[in-house]
Amino acid sequence: MKNIELENEFIALIENYQRVIYKVCYLYSKDKDNLNDLYQESILNLWRSYPRFRNECKASTWIYKITLNTCISFFRRFSKSPKFVPLSATLETIIDNNNEIALIHELYNLINRLGNLEKALILLYLEEKSYQEIANITGLSLTNVATRLCRIKEKLKRMSNE
């Protein structure tokens, strides 16, 4: 495949999934600069991997896997302790209902208190990925995904009642 065709396919793919990439990066970033760095590094890693993408899985699965691994690696390199991610003003432009904004803000704060793998699992769950897709993205077994998600949901319920 020619480079121009490859570039055009990649650009179309990124445009189609840019919100997914942004959401994952947002969850792992501590500020706007960090978010931009994560997003850029994720795009770069996707580009580097794109020629080897063989369509053996869904494009979304591949994108989630690369982006999550990029964010987790970035997080490990530059941070020793978990940081809380404030919601940006863009959330208010997406959602009109103030009550919903408060609930989403609380959910994000609770999710940010979770470990890296727990964050990844709950993010994929909230994105309505099937357990099988989550297993493919994370490399965990289907049973392990189900068990961990059940525990994470219970943990989030306990944390919200504190």
Side-chain angles (χ1 to χ4, degrees), residues 14 31 38 43 64 80 118 139 141:
I14 295 303
D31 57 36
L38 271 175
I43 298 295
Y64 268 111
K80 296 296 180 199
E118 291 173 324
S141 70

Side-chain angles (χ1 to χ4, degrees), residues 50-150:
Y50 189 65
R52 294 184 305 277
F53 178 56
R54 297 181 304 267
N55 288 315
E56 292 174 351
C57 62
K58 290 182 183 178
S60 63
T61 300
W62 175 75
I63 287 172
Y64 268 111
K65 191 169 195 163
I66 299 288
T67 306
L68 278 170
N69 286 335
T70 300
C71 291
I72 290 170
S73 295
F74 188 89
F75 185 78
R76 281 186 192 143
R77 266 195 320 254
F78 296 106
S79 178
K80 296 296 180 199
S81 62
K83 304 287 185 215
F84 291 93
V85 180
L87 286 177
S88 69
T90 58
L91 183 60
E92 284 77 11
T93 61
I94 296 170
I95 301 170
D96 295 327
N97 185 338
N98 284 336
N99 190 36
E100 278 187 53
I101 292 171
L103 291 173
I104 291 173
H105 181 71
E106 180 183 351
L107 178 62
Y108 269 70
N109 283 333
L110 294 174
I111 289 172
N112 278 309
R113 291 170 50 191
L114 298 173
N116 285 335
L117 182 58
E118 291 173 324
K119 276 185 198 180
L121 291 170
I122 199 68
L123 173 69
L124 293 169
Y125 175 78
L126 291 173
E127 286 292 319
E128 299 179 354
K129 296 292 180 191
S130 70
Y131 283 17
Q132 185 61 57
E133 286 178 292
I134 295 172
N136 291 343
I137 292 167
T138 61
L140 298 172
S141 70
L142 193 59
T143 306
N144 201 339
V145 167
T147 302
R148 285 178 184 246
L149 278 172
C150 184

Side-chain angles (χ1 to χ4, degrees), residues 8-54:
N8 289 336
E9 277 183 22
F10 180 75
I11 290 169
L13 183 70
I14 295 303
E15 286 174 351
N16 196 26
Y17 290 100
Q18 66 186 1
R19 291 188 70 199
V20 168
I21 299 165
Y22 183 84
K23 284 180 192 177
V24 174
C25 293
Y26 182 82
L27 191 60
Y28 283 89
S29 65
K30 61 181 178 185
D31 57 36
K32 185 75 172 168
D33 292 332
N34 213 345
L35 172 62
N36 291 334
D37 289 344
L38 271 175
Y39 188 84
Q40 187 174 21
E41 192 166 334
S42 295
I43 298 295
L44 180 62
N45 285 340
L46 287 164
W47 172 245
R48 287 178 180 154
S49 302
Y50 189 65
R52 294 184 305 277
F53 178 56
R54 297 181 304 267

